[in-house]
Amino acid sequence: MRDFLLLKIVIAVVLGTLFGVLIRAFDLAVLLQVALSTKHILGGIIFFAVPLVIIAFVTPAVVSAGKNAGSMTFSALAIAYISSLGAALLAMVAGYIIVPNLNINTNFADLVKLPELIFKLDIEPMFSVISSLLFSICFGLAVLYTKSRTLEALFDESCNVMLAILQKFIIPILPFFILTTFVELSYTGLITDQLPTLFKMVIIVLVGHIIWLCVLYAIGALVSGKSPFRVLKHYAPAYLTAVGTMSSAATLPVALSCASKSDALSPEIVKFAIPLGATIHLCGSVLTETFFVMGISYILTGAVPSLSVMIPFVVLLGVFAVGAPGVPGGTVMASVGIIVSVLGFDATAVGLVMAIFAVQDSFGTACNVTGDGALAMMLEGIYGKKEKSC
């Protein structure tokens, strides 16, 4: 399914845009009402799942980090979080500088008004996003303190169950949610005016990936005292595999093979850092999402979010990235809650974020995977001699 997810989303974007234009041209209001009602229900299902995703993914991550609270594990977690936070801050600064200068049309007076929904079914989440995050942290720490194997196993199983729900149910309905979102955007005339802007945003993000990888490998070289090209020259197969699979988890065997060929990394560091990095180091995805939410906010409202809103967003986004699954769309799916609760995005804005994120998801994943080599270099510089002497 993941191999065709991008194709499905591209088809959904094209069909949604086309249907919106046709519905508007032929004044098919009933079809538009059906599309809007469908979007409302699908959005409700997705938003209902978000707190459950947070609990299912973050709680086991807290337990796992605590159980493996060795210095190397703590260092890896800290490096991964700082990398994601740094990537987000880079994207945020770029967003404030670049987005207002993209010649985005913010004249909303000419947009066509939407009709009322033909039917409406409200599906409310069981918990708020912040409550879910607090629950996850508290229960994770409580499981560690009480050494409850039963609860530990329960949360591990809940993670597996939620991952199955994501893969078998939530992710398959995303193309339909995106299709109905683009029907709405195309009908109002908003998306047809902004396609060049969205394309520019994707290109800017790809440049951002390159810049951040340069930063990471420069730090890796500084910490390890070794040339970054001793690692980078082996990473082309992993990068291309990530582009094809859009999944850090699916790319893991290739990434391990690539990192193992580097004479700058010890086998012990490779076996530890690369699998862990595939799970917790999602710098490319975080950079992408941060810039996109700022651009989409400007497209839909005529302004980028304020600094007082963006700072909490990027801080929390780094936390959610550490707990996000290494599957296609995992980062944006895990962070939908803070997109809504912190940034105040509605279902239409979330659908647009998901669509444009999916278009470049393969390159964001490739950045994540390639960045794991830099993470390994940093750990090599800190712990390599100790590992070799064991």
Side-chain angles (χ1 to χ4, degrees):
M1 179 186 67
R2 61 173 167 254
D3 295 334
F4 298 102
L5 179 62
L6 176 59
L7 178 61
K8 291 177 182 177
I9 290 177
V10 170
I11 292 173
V13 169
V14 173
L15 290 180
T17 302
L18 179 61
F19 290 162
V21 171
L22 293 176
I23 289 172
R24 179 175 176 178
F26 293 98
D27 196 22
L28 302 174
V30 175
L31 291 181
L32 178 63
Q33 287 176 307
V34 171
L36 294 177
S37 298
T38 302
K39 189 196 95 170
H40 180 78
I41 293 173
L42 294 178
I45 294 172
I46 293 170
F47 296 148
F48 176 83
V50 168
L52 304 179
V53 169
I54 294 169
I55 293 171
F57 291 150
V58 176
T59 308
V62 172
V63 176
S64 177
K67 285 184 64 180
N68 302 301
S71 59
M72 191 186 298
T73 302
F74 178 80
S75 297
L77 287 169
I79 292 170
Y81 177 78
I82 292 170
S83 174
S84 294
L85 180 61
L89 291 173
L90 172 66
M92 184 186 74
V93 172
Y96 282 121
I97 296 172
I98 297 173
V99 169
N101 296 306
L102 287 178
N103 296 321
I104 298 174
N105 180 15
T106 57
N107 183 12
F108 305 111
D110 297 331
L111 297 180
V112 178
K113 301 300 181 183
L114 295 171
E116 295 291 329
L117 301 182
I118 196 170
F119 57 90
K120 186 177 182 181
L121 177 63
D122 292 324
I123 304 173
E124 298 295 334
M126 297 174 65
F127 314 100
S128 71
V129 172
I130 301 302
S131 296
S132 302
L133 182 60
L134 183 61
F135 175 93
S136 300
I137 294 172
C138 289
F139 263 72
L141 294 175
V143 169
L144 285 171
Y145 179 75
T146 61
K147 299 180 181 179
S148 173
R149 295 183 179 180
T150 301
L151 283 178
E152 181 183 346
L154 176 65
F155 282 117
D156 284 339
E157 287 299 313
S158 71
C159 182
N160 294 332
V161 169
M162 200 64 221
L163 186 59
I165 292 174
L166 274 180
Q167 293 176 328
K168 302 298 183 183
F169 183 59
I170 301 298
I171 290 178
I173 71 174
L174 286 181
F176 298 98
F177 176 65
I178 290 170
L179 186 149
T180 53
T181 297
F182 272 77
V183 168
E184 174 189 335
L185 293 171
S186 177
Y187 177 84
T188 61
L190 181 62
I191 195 61
T192 50
D193 294 337
Q194 302 297 350
L195 282 176
T197 298
L198 297 177
F199 179 75
K200 291 177 186 176
M201 288 168 57
V202 171
I203 299 300
I204 291 168
V205 160
L206 296 183
V207 174
H209 291 167
I210 296 172
I211 293 173
W212 191 246
L213 285 176
C214 290
V215 171
L216 287 180
Y217 274 93
I219 296 173
L222 184 64
V223 174
S224 66
K226 300 174 182 179
S227 170
F229 297 104
R230 292 167 64 182
V231 177
L232 272 173
K233 67 181 181 181
H234 300 290
Y235 253 88
Y239 187 93
L240 294 175
T241 301
V243 170
T245 63
M246 294 190 296
S247 169
S248 298
T251 309
L252 179 56
V254 180
L256 277 169
S257 175
C258 293
S260 298
K261 294 177 182 177
S262 172
D263 60 359
L265 301 174
S266 63
E268 295 83 1
I269 294 293
V270 169
K271 292 175 184 177
F272 174 82
I274 303 304
L276 184 62
T279 306
I280 65 173
H281 188 217
L282 305 178
C283 57
S285 299
V286 168
L287 184 153
T288 299
E289 186 173 334
T290 302
F291 189 80
F292 281 173
V293 297
M294 297 180 75
I296 289 168
S297 174
Y298 199 90
I299 289 172
L300 296 178
T301 68
V304 293
S306 67
L307 190 62
S308 62
V309 171
M310 285 303 302
I311 292 296
F313 175 78
V314 298
V315 170
L316 288 173
L317 183 58
V319 174
F320 281 92
V322 170
V327 299
T331 307
V332 72
M333 189 63 226
S335 61
V336 165
I338 57 172
I339 293 175
V340 174
S341 61
V342 177
L343 299 180
F345 279 22
D346 59 13
T348 298
V350 170
L352 189 52
V353 171
M354 288 180 170
I356 190 173
F357 186 91
V359 168
Q360 68 70 56
D361 191 21
S362 56
F363 294 99
T365 302
C367 179
N368 299 339
V369 169
T370 307
D372 293 342
L375 184 149
M377 288 190 71
M378 296 177 203
L379 293 176
E380 182 72 39
I382 300 171
Y383 298 100
K385 291 182 180 180
K386 295 180 180 179
E387 289 296 324
K388 290 174 184 176
S389 63
C390 293

